[in-house]
Amino acid sequence: MLKILVAVDGSDLSLDAVRHTLALVRQGLAATVVLAHVQEPATLYEMVVSRDPDLIAAASLEAGLHLMAPARALVDAAGVPCESEVGVGEVVPTLADIAERTQCALIVIGARGQGAIASALLGSVSQALVHASPVPVTIVKHADLSATAQPADLPGGGGEPDPV
């Protein structure tokens, strides 16, 4: 059975990636899901204050699982088999490593929705992942309700006349 890694960061954009993956399964794709989240490494300050690497690791895991909870709820409600993975490190190589380690055949990630200039200046996790991934990557654009609205749903679009 196909395994799909879905990158989750707690944002609505990452939930779009989850919904897209579940739509593929509803359409007949036999797949299981690996929800993956990457935590940044502890700062020097956190390491000095805590002095307990196990405590820091446990806090990272707990934070990652908390951020993945809405995504996990969607997958569980759909009845799709699911694993959760929390990594620590740089996002792109860590996601690529998780995909390889869990033997995923596809990665699905939400787009950040930046314009071309902002994306070029700031970089993009999804674009970098396309280059670093050992498997194909699907980038899911955020659902734009105004683009999918019917003309009658828009002001002056064929429905009731706008009040004057």
Side-chain angles (χ1 to χ4, degrees):
M1 184 174 290
L2 184 71
K3 272 183 144 176
I4 302 173
L5 183 141
V6 182
V8 178
D9 64 5
S11 70
D12 287 342
L13 297 169
S14 67
L15 291 179
D16 287 341
V18 173
R19 289 184 190 100
H20 176 78
T21 302
L22 295 175
L24 293 174
V25 172
R26 276 193 304 277
Q27 293 170 15
L29 182 65
T32 62
V33 171
V34 176
L35 295 175
H37 174 77
V38 179
Q39 287 282 306
E40 291 184 18
T43 64
L44 180 59
Y45 175 77
E46 291 167 329
M47 289 187 289
V48 168
V49 170
S50 171
R51 297 183 187 199
D52 185 352
D54 292 337
L55 183 62
I56 293 172
S60 289
L61 177 63
E62 185 177 333
L65 292 174
H66 175 73
L67 286 171
M68 287 194 296
R72 183 67 190 235
L74 286 173
V75 175
D76 288 346
V80 175
C82 181
E83 304 170 34
S84 295
E85 293 281 336
V86 177
V88 176
E90 291 183 43
V91 175
V92 172
T94 304
L95 285 174
D97 289 344
I98 292 171
E100 198 165 14
R101 183 172 42 78
T102 58
Q103 299 178 336
C104 289
L106 172 67
I107 296 174
V108 179
I109 187 169
R112 273 287 167 222
Q114 298 172 343
I117 294 174
S119 184
L121 293 175
L122 300 173
S124 167
V125 169
S126 56
Q127 291 296 325
L129 189 57
V130 166
H131 296 288
S133 174
V135 298
V137 176
T138 297
I139 302 172
V140 179
K141 288 187 173 187
H142 186 59
D144 182 3
L145 297 179
S146 65
T148 59
Q150 297 300 315
D153 298 332
L154 299 174
E160 294 296 317
D162 288 334
V164 180

